[in-house]
Amino acid sequence: MVIDSHVHFWKYDKKTYDWIDNSMKTLQQDYLPEHLALVSKRNNVDGVVAVQATQTEMETHFLVELAKTHSIIKGVVGWIDLQADNIAERLQYFSQYPFIKGYRHVVQGEPLDFLARPNFRRGVAALKAYNYTYDILIFHNQLQPAIDFVQAFPDQPFVVDHCAKPDIRHKQIDDWRAGMQEIAKFPNVCCKLSGLFTETNWKEWSAADFFPYLDVVFEAFGTDRLLFGSDWPVMLLSGIYVQWKSLLEKYMESFSAEDREKVFGSNAIQFYNL
């Protein structure tokens, strides 16, 4: 099975999705499973993981409802206020929905000390009881706090979204590489091969721009801990679905069939318990 470990769905409204500014006009519309149907069929994608795109419990409910009615959605990474005093109660409440596999917070928009905050860590500690995963969404300059963070939770399954958003646009690689090598030393941390299109000059990239960065994550994580993801529809700012999937397929053409199967599907199935 081919699993896309990272897609978003939304009914667009300006207030809820305020991060979609006027440089992203193509995203200022609805993106729902029916809009992905043809793309996933053409690219032989069997299932997707729907990931939160705004920080409300209402959106978590919305994604669960979509999953109930669209068989392509195999799991949901929702949002819940991990800093809330009643976190245990909210996790208990959402545990009634088997589609929810884990949670995410938009840490890339938070101060550098965010991952060290006691309230947030208390919330993350509460995930383990439900076997929930946690998606780490950060920029490359937040890797050090993320390393300290994962060190505190050796039994919590983590996945780094979008390879921690390296600065491909300016061909910066050294600090990011060191951070990724460090965070990959923790066996409970995986990494998503997603979101890199939008870290370049939009629509002005060549495949070769990505290869040095792919080299780093493949070497650091190996094929057992890498998950294919598209970041659809955000990726559309810089390219189309088939370009990203075929770029990764090209990169992996000399890998064994078993390794390709892991990266394009079975790792996501295992990580998210799909």
Side-chain angles (χ1 to χ4, degrees):
M1 277 184 93
V2 174
I3 302 289
D4 182 339
S5 69
H6 203 103
V7 304
H8 302 291
F9 298 112
W10 58 68
K11 283 186 175 170
Y12 178 71
D13 79 79
K14 202 171 179 174
K15 189 163 171 269
T16 310
Y17 298 93
D18 55 358
W19 57 272
I20 302 176
D21 62 29
N22 285 336
S23 71
M24 308 180 188
K25 283 207 183 297
T26 189
L27 301 184
Q28 294 175 344
Q29 56 184 300
D30 294 354
Y31 283 96
L32 296 164
E34 50 267 36
H35 302 122
L36 183 61
L38 191 58
V39 173
S40 52
K41 199 174 172 185
R42 280 183 183 152
N43 287 280
N44 302 312
V45 172
D46 302 298
V48 301
V49 176
V51 180
Q52 64 84 221
T54 188
Q55 311 208 95
T56 63
E57 283 193 2
M58 202 162 84
E59 193 206 28
T60 305
H61 280 291
F62 165 71
L63 294 176
V64 167
E65 289 308 309
L66 286 182
K68 286 178 185 172
T69 50
H70 296 86
S71 61
I72 194 164
I73 302 175
K74 305 300 183 194
V76 166
V77 174
W79 181 87
I80 194 169
D81 184 0
L82 290 163
Q83 300 177 89
D85 291 337
N86 66 340
I87 182 65
E89 196 184 299
R90 298 316 293 151
L91 285 170
Q92 176 61 43
Y93 168 79
F94 278 110
S95 70
Q96 69 183 294
Y97 303 116
F99 280 113
I100 299 179
K101 304 301 180 182
Y103 289 95
R104 181 175 90 151
H105 185 88
V106 183
V107 176
Q108 68 174 38
E110 300 285 1
L112 270 179
D113 71 341
F114 183 81
L115 291 170
R117 291 181 185 176
N119 277 6
F120 184 72
R121 290 196 171 193
R122 195 192 66 218
V124 170
L127 298 176
K128 188 75 190 89
Y130 298 96
N131 291 322
Y132 284 136
T133 61
Y134 180 79
D135 272 55
I136 302 174
L137 176 64
I138 52 170
F139 286 123
H140 56 91
N141 65 326
Q142 295 168 302
L143 267 164
Q144 193 50 57
I147 291 160
D148 300 337
F149 170 67
V150 300
Q151 197 163 10
F153 299 98
D155 300 324
Q156 171 61 42
F158 291 113
V159 63
V160 178
D161 287 351
H162 314 327
C163 301
K165 298 196 164 189
D167 186 0
I168 304 172
R169 193 175 283 111
H170 299 108
K171 298 191 170 22
Q172 300 288 321
I173 197 167
D174 295 346
D175 291 348
W176 169 81
R177 181 201 289 118
M180 291 302 274
Q181 286 168 343
E182 194 59 37
I183 205 164
K185 287 176 184 169
F186 299 93
N188 55 320
V189 181
C190 294
C191 177
K192 284 187 187 177
L193 300 167
S194 59
L196 296 185
F197 265 8
T198 40
E199 299 310 310
T200 60
N201 290 314
W202 294 353
K203 298 183 178 169
E204 291 177 18
W205 47 266
S206 75
D209 295 339
F210 301 102
F211 283 11
Y213 297 88
L214 293 174
D215 286 345
V216 169
V217 291
F218 271 85
E219 194 181 315
F221 288 91
T223 53
D224 288 339
R225 291 190 289 145
L226 290 172
L227 285 63
F228 160 68
S230 66
D231 199 24
W232 183 92
V234 182
M235 68 166 328
L236 300 175
L237 295 168
S238 189
I240 59 173
Y241 199 104
V242 67
Q243 289 176 310
W244 180 241
K245 185 162 181 270
S246 57
L247 188 151
L248 281 180
E249 286 166 342
K250 177 87 180 142
Y251 182 85
M252 289 194 76
E253 66 186 354
S254 62
F255 286 69
S256 71
E258 188 192 357
D259 282 343
R260 291 199 297 270
E261 203 172 288
K262 284 178 189 172
V263 171
F264 281 98
S266 58
N267 290 347
I269 292 169
Q270 198 178 345
F271 180 79
Y272 284 121
N273 189 24
L274 303 180

